[in-house]
């Protein structure tokens, strides 16, 4: 947790993620996921997983929250929470860690939760060390 993020902030993020999870479209896996992002300017953006009969066409909750954020004109993630059912707090899949990296810092908090109450907080760097990013591309500067 970053010093400028309160426990109430984290609770609010999980509440928003749970609200989005209620709309998950997951008829194939039966695994509903919700995600919420707090943008750098304080906005809240949510998403859920949206599966498809053509399985690889499905999208993750984090991906959908990022789309909502970008569509609203925010480009930086201050914090992200993701939640699903299970004994362990749900951590973002590998592809979503990379998607988050595009709009977040090494120290950005990623809060993982389970409906059963387990929670764990990570930095993005802990989940995606030595990450590929724009600095690897010629002509592109950080972030
Ligand atoms: N899923 C997410 O939405 N986020 C994750 O971080 C892990 C997996 C979704 C994708 C698929 O709809 C279902 O969970 C089962 O993998």
């Amino acid at each position: 947790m970053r010093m400028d993020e309160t426990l109430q902030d984290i609770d609010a993020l999980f509440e928003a993620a749970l609200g989005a999870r209620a709309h998950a479209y997951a008829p194939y896996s039966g695994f509903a996921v919700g995600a919420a992002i707090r943008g750098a300017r304080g906005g809240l953006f949510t998403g859920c997983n949206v599966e498809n009969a053509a399985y690889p066409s499905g999208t993750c909750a984090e991906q959908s929250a990022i789309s909502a954020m970008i569509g609203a004109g925010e480009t930086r993630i201050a914090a992200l929470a993701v939640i699903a059912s299970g004994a362990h707090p749900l951590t973002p899949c590998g592809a979503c860690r990379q998607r988050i990296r595009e709009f977040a810092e090494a120290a950005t908090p990623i809060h993982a939760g389970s409906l059963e109450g387990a929670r764990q907080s990570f930095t993005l760097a802990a989940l995606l060390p030595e990450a590929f990013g724009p600095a690897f591309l010629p002509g592109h500067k950080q972030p």
Side-chain angles (χ1 to χ4, degrees), residues 26 29 31 33 48-51 59-62 82 90-93 96:
S29 72
F31 190 68
V33 183
C48 57
N49 53 333
V50 183
E51 297 185 347
T59 51
C60 283
E62 299 90 322
V82 58
L90 177 82
T91 49
C93 78
C96 282

Side-chain angles (χ1 to χ4, degrees), residues 34-59:
I37 291 169
R38 185 179 310 284
R41 292 174 296 171
L44 214 54
F45 311 97
T46 62
C48 57
N49 53 333
V50 183
E51 297 185 347
N52 193 284
Y55 292 179
S57 298
T59 51

Side-chain angles (χ1 to χ4, degrees), residues 4 14 37 44 47 57-58 64 74 90 92 110 112 115-116 131:
D4 56 354
F14 274 121
I37 291 169
L44 214 54
S57 298
S64 135
E74 175 62 87
L90 177 82
I110 310 293
L115 292 186
E116 290 74 6

